Structures are given as C-alpha cells and as structure tokens.
Amino acid sequence: MNEAYKKAKELVSANKDTIDILADVLLIKEYLSKEDFESMMKDPNKSKEILEKNQEKINAKAELDNQKSQKNKKSKKSDKVDKSKKIV
C-alpha cells in the first residue's frame, strides 16, 4: 500500500501542470472523451492548446461566477438591513 501511495504521488507531482490544465478545461467542457483525456495526458502541449482555445470561455465563466457571488453578498447584506429595520 505504501508503494502505491508513493507511485501515485510521484505521478501527480510529475504531471501537476497537465492536471491543472485538465481541471481548467473540465470547468469549461465539463467532460472529456477518453481520447481527448489520453491525448492531453500524453502531450502537455495539447492540453495547453485546448486551454488557450477555451481561455475566453474560462474568463467569462469566472466573471459570471464572481458576479453571482457579489450579488449573493449584497442580497444577504440587504436582508440583514431589512431585519434590523423591523426591530426598530
């Protein structure tokens, strides 16, 4: 078991950049075919190419998530203000 853990840790460390790119791509595409996954793992440049093609979508999704987060914060703040007015 200890050897399997060491081997897994080595594989993840050796492929960290590719795994990070895969994670970013999956945030956009939400799935990858077996062929795409294998291609990306075999050739890190393929991963970077796919990421670059989808960078605009990644940025748009991040901006949308940020806007939703800000809206939720404002909504919660507004609820607190409304509750305090009712007490007075």
Side-chain angles (χ1 to χ4, degrees), residues 36-70:
D36 284 344
F37 175 79
E38 289 175 348
S39 172
M40 291 174 75
M41 290 304 292
K42 286 179 185 173
D43 182 4
N45 291 326
K46 178 76 169 175
S47 299
K48 291 177 184 176
E49 179 184 312
I50 291 172
L51 180 62
E52 288 170 1
K53 285 181 182 177
N54 290 286
Q55 193 64 49
E56 189 174 310
K57 291 179 184 176
I58 291 169
N59 293 342
K61 185 177 186 327
E63 179 62 27
L64 183 61
D65 289 345
N66 187 36
Q67 289 173 357
K68 286 180 183 178
S69 175
Q70 294 298 324

Side-chain angles (χ1 to χ4, degrees), residues 26-42:
L26 284 168
L27 286 172
I28 300 305
K29 296 184 81 165
E30 296 182 7
Y31 68 92
L32 285 173
S33 69
K34 176 184 174 187
E35 293 79 17
D36 284 344
F37 175 79
E38 289 175 348
S39 172
M40 291 174 75
M41 290 304 292
K42 286 179 185 173

